[in-house]
Amino acid sequence: MVQKFQSPVRVYKYPFELVMKAYECRFPKCPQMPIVLDCEIIKDEVLENGAKRNTSRRCKLAVDAPYIFKKLIGVDFVYFLQHNYLDLANRTLNIEAVNESFSSRIEIFERCRYYAHPDNPEWTCFDQTATLDIKNFFGFEHSMEKMGMKQYTQTTLKGKEIIEFFINKLESEGVTEVERWMPPADAPSTPTTREPSEEPAQQKNIKDDERRRSSHDVLLDGDFIAKNLGTLTPMQASKLLELRKMLNGDEDLEEMPSYQTILRFLTARDWHVSQAFTMLKDSLKWRKEHNIDSLVKEYKAPAVVVNHFPGGWHHHDKDGRPIYILRLGHMDVKGLLKSIGTEGLLKLTLHICEEGMERIKESAEKLGQPILSWCMLVDLEGLSMRHLWRPGVKALLNIIETVERNYPETMGRVLVVRAPRVFPIAWTIVSAFIHENTRSKFLFYGGPDCLHMKDGLEQYIDSEIIPDFLGGPCKTLIHEGGLVPKTLYKMNSLEEEDDGEEQENKKVLEAAGGALMHEHRSLYKTVELRTGYIHEVIIPNQDPKSVLTWDFDVMRSDLHFTLYRATKELPSKIDTAVSIFDMSDFVEGEHYFKEEPTLICRHRESVQGSHVMHHTHTYIMQWFSPSSGPEGPAQLNFFYEVLSSANYKGSMTSLQSGFSSSSAASSCQSR
């Protein structure tokens, strides 16, 4: 097993010569590195009039391992060989270190480099790489790997601290400057730079281009990380540099992504460099194929989006993240899809994501701190099962998949407010397609008041910018949403097809009298109920703890809704005016039971509910029309679905019947 380690570039704001003098103070040992017991010089030579110095040391290191481990391998310390190549003319020090002990079982190779900062000759840069190849180590290979990672992390963290300690010590001794090396006046002229390349011009241009792109590496020092990337462990910084160099060596790459982008893809792939490389390469290819880089400038929102899409940007949260508000419960999913299509909705989403990336960058520059993601506030007032219209769900899942693939780790926090009782059903279906990292960032507020509860919105958003529709003082420019007029539909209208089908059904079933049912391709069914008529839906259940969900609208007149469970086999029903329970020898409490109390549903009310079906019996949803109004028979528009117990992973406590009036706030649901 081979482990590779790489540290970010570290910058010392001191000249190279002073850093070298501080570096020499580390030997033969220093209190800051107690693991180094001693260092013996075994070779030391000065070349080219003092311009170069090659030094080899044999270093004795304590084994930083549990006592039992040291007892088993039979040693308390190990030896390393360190070779230093100092070039004062070019202001570089290259260090190579290999293990002498157990070299047949384990190979450790470390390369470090000190060099003058390419843009500021008064500063010094340092980088470090290492490989750990464990071939066979008494069955403790995994333990050795963990200790190697631990040791590398500790060494990386202490390295800068030690150099700065000795620089401060030198300063206390009056040494604040060390003269640069200059060749003696009588010394022959010798080249002090690299020999000219003999490679072909075309190849040289490619390498020069790679060098230009890799010049950004020098910025990845501790200050850059703290200011632009946040807190990274040495191992994470090593992985970041490793992926950056893999991209740097890719000849097909036209433009190097920022460190922030590379970091997002690494995090999304749990710091697996090869997986992150593949994911990022695929995303860059997708961006080029779809001309994503020009989307912000070229995209023009269609009129239906401008007038009916309830979403927009709104200030920043307390962590500096840009906030995007989406009033999903007010969104006419079907109307938007039938007006701009799936591709149009996807393009709108990508435009929002690109805007979000720009706003993240602007916020980071303005605040001078790492901002890597944005915040989303989702208002679910008015959400119903109609929002789970299958073509709409299919479009949503396609959008989620595309965004997760190409904008990973850009969602820092999702605040879901005014979640209705039907929300767990929607969340169960959708959450399975959202990456676990993203799901963990969702915070839910189920009641109407999301401000004054414990851990309410004010914990994340300043009170003065909380939107007015949530009880805050801040007005937004976000559209209320609402139904999209059918005159704006551009795709084949399901409604028109349904109308034709309804007319045909009406001719065939008119003789049945009171209860006339029309099949809708949108999965909703419409039933007309005259006074005294009943409509029943029979649902056999063979899956204990499966979840029955329903959503219906009541129009023209009131209806009574009840959910029953029958333990006795049900007879066939012919008369639509009579209940199944009235047709034969059925006794309530013995052959059938009322599972949900009767709910009186008023004209223009929308009702959503759920019920956990614990028994393998037959369930019956029943609607009864006590009287018809002047507008004619009562009209019922309903949908139901059974969610498998194997797939349902929500909280059962929130699955209760509930209803909401079709008021101005909730009547703008997708139909």
Side-chain angles (χ1 to χ4, degrees):
M1 57 181 77
V2 179
Q3 280 285 337
K4 295 182 179 180
F5 311 92
Q6 185 171 1
S7 72
V9 175
R10 189 182 302 152
V11 176
Y12 300 99
K13 297 180 180 180
Y14 304 98
F16 175 79
E17 290 72 22
L18 184 60
V19 171
M20 289 301 95
K21 192 166 185 67
Y23 173 78
E24 288 295 328
C25 294
R26 296 176 51 172
F27 301 102
K29 58 184 178 179
C30 67
Q32 290 79 12
M33 290 287 285
I35 192 174
V36 180
L37 302 177
D38 191 23
C39 287
E40 175 191 359
I41 295 178
I42 57 177
K43 179 183 177 182
D44 193 16
E45 58 181 1
V46 178
L47 307 171
E48 299 183 15
N49 297 310
K52 294 183 178 180
R53 181 182 180 183
N54 299 335
T55 307
S56 297
R57 294 181 175 90
R58 188 169 186 257
C59 301
K60 182 179 179 181
L61 276 66
V63 176
D64 185 14
Y67 171 78
I68 187 66
F69 184 85
K70 292 190 286 185
K71 193 75 174 176
L72 286 169
I73 64 175
V75 296
D76 289 317
F77 51 82
V78 294
Y79 288 96
F80 272 75
L81 297 177
Q82 184 192 75
H83 306 287
N84 289 9
Y85 305 97
L86 177 63
D87 185 343
L88 291 173
N90 288 304
R91 306 180 78 198
T92 63
L93 171 64
N94 290 288
I95 306 168
E96 295 179 356
V98 295
N99 61 303
E100 184 181 67
S101 303
F102 301 109
S103 58
S104 62
R105 295 180 177 272
I106 179 172
E107 291 182 1
I108 302 173
F109 180 76
E110 183 181 37
R111 178 181 283 115
C112 306
R113 197 167 55 117
Y114 290 90
Y115 53 97
H117 195 294
D119 299 322
N120 188 339
E122 296 303 312
W123 291 357
T124 305
C125 297
F126 171 82
D127 58 40
Q128 179 182 23
T129 60
T131 58
L132 174 65
D133 185 4
I134 304 173
K135 299 174 181 178
N136 184 337
F137 203 77
F138 311 105
F140 292 97
E141 291 80 9
H142 182 65
S143 298
M144 279 298 297
E145 179 184 347
K146 291 176 66 176
M147 282 191 288
M149 294 173 65
K150 176 184 175 183
Q151 190 60 54
Y152 178 82
T153 300
Q154 290 177 344
T155 304
T156 301
L157 290 171
K158 286 188 175 182
K160 186 175 183 181
E161 174 187 317
I162 293 171
I163 290 293
E164 292 185 339
F165 170 82
F166 285 113
I167 286 177
N168 292 333
K169 184 178 180 182
L170 288 170
E171 184 178 352
S172 68
E173 296 171 356
V175 180
T176 59
E177 185 178 355
V178 178
E179 291 186 2
R180 291 191 189 182
W181 179 88
M182 297 294 293
D186 56 348
S189 177
T190 56
T192 59
T193 56
R194 297 176 184 172
E195 295 181 3
S197 173
E198 297 179 0
E199 59 192 352
Q202 182 179 2
Q203 185 69 19
K204 183 176 185 298
N205 289 338
I206 293 175
K207 298 229 178 217
D208 286 343
D209 181 60
E210 288 182 354
R211 289 190 194 103
R212 280 194 298 271
R213 287 189 285 167
S214 64
S215 65
H216 186 53
D217 287 344
V218 76
L219 297 176
L220 194 62
D221 61 3
D223 292 339
F224 177 87
I225 290 174
K227 183 178 179 181
N228 298 278
L229 304 178
T231 303
L232 297 181
T233 67
M235 282 304 302
Q236 290 171 340
S238 172
K239 299 287 187 183
L240 182 62
L241 261 181
E242 185 180 344
L243 178 53
R244 178 64 167 75
K245 290 199 172 183
M246 286 179 68
L247 293 166
N248 198 41
D250 191 326
E251 295 183 359
D252 296 331
L253 191 64
E254 295 181 358
E255 184 177 352
M256 180 63 65
S258 67
Y259 278 117
Q260 289 88 339
T261 298
I262 299 173
L263 177 61
R264 291 187 186 102
F265 280 82
L266 258 178
T267 306
R269 285 297 173 261
D270 199 24
W271 299 93
H272 293 290
V273 175
S274 59
Q275 295 179 21
F277 177 77
T278 301
M279 182 185 183
L280 181 51
K281 281 279 292 177
D282 290 344
S283 178
L284 293 173
K285 181 181 177 182
W286 169 82
R287 293 184 67 87
K288 183 177 180 181
E289 290 175 351
H290 294 85
N291 199 25
I292 300 297
D293 289 339
S294 61
L295 189 60
V296 172
K297 293 182 179 179
E298 296 181 0
Y299 178 78
K300 294 187 182 300
V304 66
V305 171
V306 174
N307 296 323
H308 297 280
F309 182 74
W313 294 100
H314 180 78
H315 300 283
H316 299 78
D317 69 8
K318 289 186 175 182
D319 294 319
R321 299 186 184 99
I323 300 173
Y324 190 85
I325 295 178
L326 178 63
R327 303 193 68 179
L328 184 59
H330 286 219
M331 181 173 163
D332 182 0
V333 178
K334 179 184 282 189
L336 285 169
L337 276 175
K338 291 169 78 66
S339 301
I340 62 176
T342 303
E343 286 301 314
L345 195 58
L346 174 60
K347 198 169 185 179
L348 168 62
T349 304
L350 297 179
H351 179 254
I352 293 170
C353 290
E354 288 295 308
E355 280 188 326
M357 299 301 291
E358 287 195 350
R359 287 172 178 265
I360 289 170
K361 185 177 179 181
E362 291 170 1
S363 182
E365 291 175 352
K366 180 180 179 181
L367 298 175
Q369 66 185 50
I371 305 293
L372 300 172
S373 57
W374 43 290
C375 174
M376 193 168 187
L377 175 63
V378 184
D379 178 22
L380 295 183
E381 183 196 48
L383 183 78
S384 73
M385 293 297 289
R386 277 188 294 266
H387 285 82
L388 297 183
W389 175 60
R390 288 191 187 276
V393 171
K394 183 177 179 181
L396 175 61
L397 297 182
N398 176 56
I399 288 171
I400 290 174
E401 182 181 1
T402 302
V403 172
E404 293 258 90
R405 251 195 336 254
N406 299 288
Y407 301 91
E409 299 299 317
T410 54
M411 193 70 69
R413 183 179 292 127
V414 183
L415 303 170
V416 181
V417 300
R418 300 198 288 188
R421 292 176 178 175
V422 75
F423 172 70
I425 309 302
W427 178 243
T428 298
I429 296 171
V430 174
S431 63
F433 297 88
I434 300 176
H435 193 277
E436 183 179 354
N437 287 352
T438 305
R439 287 203 306 269
S440 66
K441 298 168 185 175
F442 278 70
L443 297 171
F444 302 100
Y445 301 93
D449 184 1
C450 52
L451 298 183
H452 303 102
M453 64 175 61
K454 183 181 179 181
D455 297 330
L457 280 187
E458 291 181 337
Q459 181 176 347
Y460 307 102
I461 301 175
D462 289 327
S463 57
E464 61 267 21
I465 65 167
I466 290 178
D468 53 357
F469 61 83
L470 294 178
C474 191
K475 294 189 177 297
T476 71
L477 299 177
I478 298 167
H479 199 278
E480 288 285 332
L483 292 175
V484 175
K486 292 184 179 180
T487 54
L488 298 178
Y489 288 6
K490 293 183 179 179
M491 310 192 60
N492 292 333
S493 173
L494 294 178
E495 302 295 338
E496 293 172 1
E497 297 172 5
D498 290 343
D499 290 344
E501 188 173 331
E502 286 181 15
Q503 292 300 322
E504 185 64 28
N505 286 340
K506 196 164 187 176
K507 293 177 182 178
V508 175
L509 300 175
E510 201 163 23
L516 178 63
M517 184 172 71
H518 315 299
E519 296 286 344
H520 284 257
R521 295 190 184 183
S522 63
L523 300 183
Y524 279 80
K525 297 177 181 178
T526 299
V527 180
E528 291 181 351
L529 294 170
R530 294 182 180 178
T531 300
Y533 278 74
I534 287 175
H535 180 68
E536 293 175 328
V537 175
I538 298 172
I539 306 158
N541 181 46
Q542 300 299 324
D543 180 15
K545 296 187 178 181
S546 59
V547 180
L548 170 64
T549 70
W550 58 83
D551 177 38
F552 61 86
D553 289 329
V554 177
M555 307 297 289
R556 298 180 188 165
S557 186
D558 298 346
L559 289 177
H560 295 182
F561 171 70
T562 313
L563 179 67
Y564 293 98
R565 174 174 56 89
T567 57
K568 184 178 178 180
E569 185 177 352
L570 301 179
S572 300
K573 178 180 176 180
I574 300 176
D575 190 346
T576 57
V578 179
S579 169
I580 289 175
F581 305 124
D582 296 333
M583 294 176 59
S584 57
D585 188 20
F586 271 79
V587 178
E588 185 174 359
E590 181 178 349
H591 302 120
Y592 71 97
F593 304 85
K594 186 180 290 187
E595 292 290 288
E596 294 279 351
T598 299
L599 182 67
I600 299 176
C601 311
R602 304 298 183 186
H603 169 53
R604 294 187 62 83
E605 283 186 344
S606 177
V607 180
Q608 300 88 38
S610 308
H611 183 83
V612 181
M613 298 189 291
H614 292 283
H615 306 280
T616 54
H617 296 153
T618 301
Y619 289 77
I620 302 98
M621 293 193 299
Q622 183 191 86
W623 290 270
F624 169 67
S625 175
S627 62
S628 298
E631 298 180 359
Q635 187 178 72
L636 169 69
N637 187 35
F638 73 95
F639 165 84
Y640 76 93
E641 188 169 10
V642 176
L643 303 177
S644 167
S645 62
N647 296 329
Y648 185 76
K649 299 176 183 178
S651 170
M652 298 297 180
T653 59
S654 58
L655 297 179
Q656 302 295 332
S657 299
F659 70 93
S660 59
S661 299
S662 289
S663 61
S666 61
S667 63
C668 45
Q669 303 161 359
S670 175
R671 295 184 181 274

